[in-house]
Each structure stands twice: as structure tokens, then as C-alpha cells.
Amino acid sequence: MLLVPCPNCGPRNSSDLHYVGEAQARPNPSEATPTEWREYLYMEDNPAGWLRENWYCRSGCRQFFTLERHTGSNEFRNPPMPGNKVGGKA
Amino acid sequence: MASKPPRYSAAGLLTKGARGQTWPRVWREVPLQKKYDVVIIGGGVHGLATAYYLATNHGITNVAVLDKAYLGSGGSGRNTAIVRSNYLTPEGVAFYDRSLTLYNSMAVDLNMNVMFSERGHLTLAHNDSALRTMHWRAEVNKLQDIDSSVIDPNEIKKLVPSLDTSNESRYPILGALYHPPGGIIRHDAVVWGYARGADHRGVEMHQKTEVLDILVEGGDGPDGKGPGGKVTGVRTSRGDISAPIVVNCTAGWATLISDMAGVKLPISTRPLQAAVTEPVKVFLPAVVVSGSLHVYVSQTDRGELVFGAAVDPYNNYNIRGSLDFTEGLAGHVLELMPGLSRMRLLRQWAGLCDMTPDYSPVMGFTPVEGFLCDVGWGTYGFKAGPVAGETMAECIATNSTPKLIEAFKLERFAAGNLVGEKGAAAVGH
Ligand SMILES: Cc1cc2nc3c(=O)[nH]c(=O)nc-3n(C[C@H](O)[C@H](O)[C@H](O)COP(=O)(O)OP(=O)(O)OC[C@H]3O[C@@H](n4cnc5c(N)ncnc54)[C@H](O)[C@@H]3O)c2cc1C
Ligand SMILES: [Zn+2]
């Protein structure tokens, strides 16, 4: 099983977490047009390589965090920033 | 219309063998040209069917299908071959129903035994909300003349005696959506049949020919790519090819190709795993799917049980598969059929799936002129091969979007007009 390095709990089985998707900045709700919202909701980078992505530590510390994973080798790099609340799509 | 590809004949094989003559290859291997009217990237069922219908229905034969590996090396040679049309949206139902019609006459049209077995398809409901979705689907289906209805546990037991339909199981079966025309097919034969049919009409298939870049001029993005641009050809591992029309039929690799043209797609790549057991005497007459238990089962004519489930939980281009998947799968199968607990798994494998937010495909024109897409086939695109090929060929030949795929345009995401098929396609492919 993929071990995800949670900044608070340490390495955890990926089944303990929820994969959120590419780490994107959320548009400002009071200014974004519907088209911008939909772009944010539906369009994601899908590289075969390094991807900055968000995870939610569902069965552990219940925090969101961002890290970088290689979508071919499944290695992680750049230790994630603890407590970096990113929110995002379910 | 040009003749069909020739029939296979045992007498011909024996005569040729006895006389020491050659038995022709299924498709020719010819030198790669510098220029084609249409270049299709991806030699899976979608690319090959598009080429076949371009040549057969529209007389467009100066066409090359390019694949970086071999024909059928992607999802088209890895799927669990379930074919059905009992979808949830009217657009989806009409579309997949046309594919079923084409599958029904395929063996004759292509002179190839595709072993289509319409054995019936059952989607089990283990809770009220699932049962409600089954009723919803049945009603949508009936309105479009699809043979589809909700049946109770007694009827299920009659159709598939090996299922545990008692109240004793952990997740008792409350009912099922029954779709008699659904079934399974031999996916390799479909791929080879389209390749042979396209070859017969002059289309070229080039294996081990990887597309490295899409050549675009006049676009808004860097290097003249992106919206407003116009396609001029492709760069491949075997040199540049010029073509006014380039079609992306690369499923799990779809965004890598569309990125080369500067076109953004709402697609993420996930592996889907499957497994097969040792063969046993045939006992399972229908395809059985359980969304709540995340599993589906069918039995091949050789007696092996084919198992599958939902896609892996995070984006990935790695098809190694995982033990936790296999373990979960086995557990779920045993919930349905406890009697299988001593059966051995023979093999496990995976393929890449191009998932869209609404479980519907992305088809037709893009903001780059001449660059078309037939992607977003997720875990359910094998059954769509024939109708997708037919409509994409029409789209290219007439330079307009056929009605059957109007709802699947790329623009629907910016407009917010999604075609939500999750209820009919998340586990039951
Ligand atoms: C385990 C599994 C089970 C499935 N079960 C079902 C099912 O029961 N029913 C169903 O309907 N669907 C099912 N599917 C989905 C189905 O297999 C796919 O949707 C379908 O095969 C996609 O076909 P395609 O022709 O679009 O793509 P593919 O068959 O994936 O072909 C894409 C091709 O593009 C080529 N390619 C990629 N990049 C390049 C490049 N740069 N240059 C040249 N060529 C390139 C690849 O080599 C590949 O051959 C399943 C999939 C999997 C993995
Ligand atoms: Zn944690």
C-alpha cells in the first residue's frame, strides 16, 4: 500500500487518507465568474511525473496538506508543510 | 461500398499449408508516409473504429493510425469486456444503445468472430438508495425501448443460483437492475477485426510509432499552440508527418497528447485493476455487478472468473497493481458468493483510465482547429468503441458534430452542462 507522509502523523496507509487532487488556488468566491469556478472544479493538471497534490488525513489528524508525488514511481519529495490548510474539492 | 474483409476459412488455411503458400498477415506493414489526410493517435478500439468508419462510411482512406506500442496495448486489450446500454441519462442511453446495435452485427460486418455473448447483466442493490437508482435507471431505459427492469431477490436467485440472496449475508441483496441484452465480448477480436477491416480499405496502421509533439500554428499559447491555432501535423519517434486533421484517441494518456496541442482537458488518469481465477466448470450465466460492494464478476467461456472493481483512489500512470486491491476484491467477491473461498486467482493486471468529472466522454472538436478528441472513456469505454468510431468519423467527414455526441462536447465543462453518469458507470463498467 502507498505510504503517505502525513506531516502530523508520519507515514500512513493511503486508505487512511482521502485524495483531493491537484493543489490549486481556490478563486475568490466574491469575484470569480461561473466559468472560473468551473475551471477550478473540473480542470486539473494530469502530468506523468511530479504532481503537487492535496491529501486529507481522514482517519488521522484530520488536516489537509499539500505534497509532491511522482505519478509514475509514487515517490514523494519536499516534506509537506504541517498545518497548511488548503481545503478543496471532495 | 467496398467489399468486406475476406472470410477466414479453414479449408483455405489447410490448402495453403499443404501447398507451402503464405497465410496473409491480418494487416499490412507499410512504410510511414510524410503526409496523410487524417492522423489518428492511439491504436485502441476507438482509434481503429474511427479509421474503419472513415474509410467504410465516408471513403476517407488516406488515414494513419499511430500507436507507441502495439495495437490493443492500452485499455482495449485489458478491459473486462462488459457491453451494455442501461445508463442513467437519456443522452448516455441513446449513445450506448447504438453501440450495442453495431456490436450485434459486428461479426458479420467485419467477418471476424468477436464472440459476443448477450448473457444478461445484473446490477445488485444492497440498500434503499441503490434500489432507488436502479428504478430510476430502469424508467429512463424503458422510455428509450431498452430492455431493462428491476427484479426481486427470488428472480435473481433463479437467474444466478450461486448468489447468496438470503437475509443472512452481511449486505443482503434487495433487488437488481436486470438488462438481458448486456453481456461480454472478446475484446482482442474486436480490436483486430477493426484493424483488419480498416486495412482492407487502405488505412495504415503504424505500431511502435510514438507521437512526441503536435504541430500547431497561430494559437494564443506559447509556440503558437493553444486556442485559435490550427493543427499542421505531428512529430513522431519516426519523423514528422503533416496532416490537417489529428485525432486524439489515447485514453489514459489523453492529457499528455492534448497538452502537446495546448488544449486543456478535464481528465485525470487512474489505473483500474482486474483479476482472473483458475478455470472451473461454467456455473455463472450472467454478468453480476455490485456497486455497494465495489465488485463485478463474469465467467469466460473457458470457465475463468473475471473480477473487477472501481479505479484506484489517486492519480497514477503506474499499472503495477497492488496487493491491498486484490485482497479487498477477494473479500468482496466472497460476500456475494461465499462458495468460492477456495478458488485460486491466476493473474492480476491493470490499465490506465481517463476519468472525467461526470463519467461521460469528451468528444469532437477542440479550440485548436483540426485537433479532435475522442477521450474520457474512463472505465466504461470499450463498449462505446463502435459508436464512438462511427460518430467521430462522421464528425471529421462532415466537419460538424453529430447529434448523438452533441452532449459530450468539451465546452460542456465551461458551460456547466455535465452529463452525470456516475450512478451507472462508477463500478459497473
Ligand atoms: C481493467 C479494466 C477493465 C475495464 N472494463 C471495461 C468494461 O468491462 N467495459 C467497458 O466498456 N470498458 C471497460 N474498460 C475501459 C476500456 O478498456 C477503455 O475505456 C477503452 O479500451 C479505451 O479505448 P481507447 O481506444 O480509447 O484507448 P486505449 O485502448 O487505451 O488505447 C490508447 C492507445 O494510445 C496509445 N498511445 C498513448 N500515447 C501515445 C503516443 N504518445 N503516441 C502514440 N500512441 C500513444 C497507447 O499505446 C494505446 O494503445 C476497462 C478498462 C480497464 C483498464
Ligand atoms: Zn495525519
Side-chain angles (χ1 to χ4, degrees), chain B residues 98-172:
Chain B
R98 173 67 190 153
S99 225
L100 221 58
T101 305
L102 291 168
Y103 269 128
N104 266 306
S105 63
M106 182 175 287
V108 174
D109 294 341
L110 299 177
N111 266 331
M112 183 86 165
N113 183 3
V114 291
M115 296 169 77
F116 185 23
S117 157
E118 288 194 285
R119 55 182 59 190
H121 183 280
L122 282 170
T123 317
L124 306 176
H126 305 264
N127 54 49
D128 285 342
S129 70
L131 198 57
R132 206 176 317 121
T133 308
M134 299 313 154
H135 279 292
W136 177 5
R137 277 168 69 181
E139 294 312 312
V140 172
N141 295 168
K142 284 178 201 160
L143 277 177
Q144 287 170 267
D145 279 337
I146 308 296
D147 189 352
S148 172
S149 57
V150 175
I151 60 174
D152 67 29
N154 290 328
E155 293 166 286
I156 299 171
K157 189 77 186 172
K158 266 188 228 140
L159 284 167
V160 187
S162 51
L163 275 181
D164 181 2
T165 52
S166 70
N167 287 329
E168 310 299 308
S169 64
R170 183 154 163 222
Y171 303 103

Side-chain angles (χ1 to χ4, degrees), chain B residues 1 4 10 16 35 42 49 52 63 93 159 168 225 238 258 262 277-278 288 301 303 315 336 339 364 409 429:
Chain B
M1 197 202 277
K4 289 184 200 176
K16 286 202 158 65
K35 199 170 179 319
Y52 171 80
V63 177
V93 172
L159 284 167
E168 310 299 308
K225 298 193 179 193
R238 295 170 60 201
S258 73
T277 66
E278 58 188 342
V288 178
D301 294 328
N315 291 8
L336 285 182
K409 285 175 164 179
H429 315 312

Side-chain angles (χ1 to χ4, degrees), chain A residues 1-2 14 19 38-39 42-48 55 69 71-72 74, chain B residues 255 265-270 313-318 324 413-416:
Chain A
M1 170 128 20
L2 180 68
S14 60
Y19 179 72
R38 291 174 193 139
E39 163 106 17
Y42 306 136
M43 297 292 178
E44 279 192 18
D45 258 0
N46 184 37
W55 290 81
R69 181 177 55 98
T71 59
N74 278 330
Chain B
T255 59
L265 294 177
I267 284 178
S268 44
T269 295
R270 300 267 179 113
Y314 44 88
N315 291 8
N316 218 332
Y317 283 85
N318 182 323
D324 52 289
F413 295 95

Side-chain angles (χ1 to χ4, degrees), chain B residues 22-285:
Chain B
T22 52
W23 181 244
R25 301 178 65 128
V26 177
W27 58 84
R28 296 158 302 147
E29 213 154 85
V30 294
L32 188 66
Q33 327 261 352
K34 290 264 159 260
K35 199 170 179 319
Y36 293 95
D37 292 338
V38 181
V39 164
I40 296 172
I41 312 171
V45 67
H46 283 264
L48 294 167
T50 302
Y52 171 80
Y53 290 110
L54 270 173
T56 308
N57 293 355
H58 306 282
I60 300 174
T61 56
N62 186 20
V63 177
V65 180
L66 312 180
D67 200 289
K68 66 175 177 153
Y70 57 92
L71 302 189
S73 55
S76 298
R78 297 166 182 275
N79 62 79
T80 45
I82 297 171
V83 173
R84 62 186 176 90
S85 64
N86 58 350
Y87 275 69
L88 183 61
T89 65
E91 296 86 350
V93 172
F95 179 76
Y96 292 103
D97 186 46
R98 173 67 190 153
S99 225
L100 221 58
T101 305
L102 291 168
Y103 269 128
N104 266 306
S105 63
M106 182 175 287
V108 174
D109 294 341
L110 299 177
N111 266 331
M112 183 86 165
N113 183 3
V114 291
M115 296 169 77
F116 185 23
S117 157
E118 288 194 285
R119 55 182 59 190
H121 183 280
L122 282 170
T123 317
L124 306 176
H126 305 264
N127 54 49
D128 285 342
S129 70
L131 198 57
R132 206 176 317 121
T133 308
M134 299 313 154
H135 279 292
W136 177 5
R137 277 168 69 181
E139 294 312 312
V140 172
N141 295 168
K142 284 178 201 160
L143 277 177
Q144 287 170 267
D145 279 337
I146 308 296
D147 189 352
S148 172
S149 57
V150 175
I151 60 174
D152 67 29
N154 290 328
E155 293 166 286
I156 299 171
K157 189 77 186 172
K158 266 188 228 140
L159 284 167
V160 187
S162 51
L163 275 181
D164 181 2
T165 52
S166 70
N167 287 329
E168 310 299 308
S169 64
R170 183 154 163 222
Y171 303 103
I173 296 169
L174 304 182
L177 183 66
Y178 180 42
H179 179 46
I184 54 174
I185 197 161
R186 184 166 179 231
H187 53 204
D188 296 323
V190 173
V191 168
W192 298 331
Y194 274 126
R196 183 166 172 264
D199 172 82
H200 182 70
R201 290 181 167 83
V203 170
E204 295 177 11
M205 260 75 62
H206 294 284
Q207 307 186 93
K208 291 192 236 161
T209 308
E210 180 169 8
V211 171
L212 306 172
D213 201 4
I214 312 276
L215 309 174
V216 180
E217 278 174 1
D220 303 336
D223 307 330
K225 298 193 179 193
K230 191 173 171 351
V231 127
T232 61
V234 294
R235 174 152 301 149
T236 79
S237 53
R238 295 170 60 201
D240 286 5
I241 300 172
S242 70
I245 308 267
V246 173
V247 191
N248 178 2
C249 296
T250 56
W253 298 266
T255 59
L256 307 181
I257 295 291
S258 73
D259 283 352
M260 295 175 189
V263 171
K264 250 192 134 180
L265 294 177
I267 284 178
S268 44
T269 295
R270 300 267 179 113
L272 176 64
Q273 305 186 47
V276 64
T277 66
E278 58 188 342
V280 292
K281 191 166 177 167
V282 173
F283 71 93
L284 184 62

Side-chain angles (χ1 to χ4, degrees), chain B residues 277-311:
Chain B
T277 66
E278 58 188 342
V280 292
K281 191 166 177 167
V282 173
F283 71 93
L284 184 62
V287 180
V288 178
V289 182
S290 167
S292 320
L293 292 184
H294 288 279
V295 69
Y296 61 91
V297 194
S298 71
Q299 190 169 22
T300 68
D301 294 328
R302 275 192 304 224
E304 301 147 332
L305 291 178
V306 176
F307 300 140
V311 285

Side-chain angles (χ1 to χ4, degrees), chain A residues 6 9 57 61:
Chain A
C6 172
C9 314
C57 192
C61 60

Side-chain angles (χ1 to χ4, degrees), chain B residues 320-336:
Chain B
R320 269 208 329 226
S322 58
L323 182 62
D324 52 289
F325 168 84
T326 316
E327 208 177 9
L329 183 71
H332 293 146
V333 170
L334 294 184
E335 303 267 4
L336 285 182

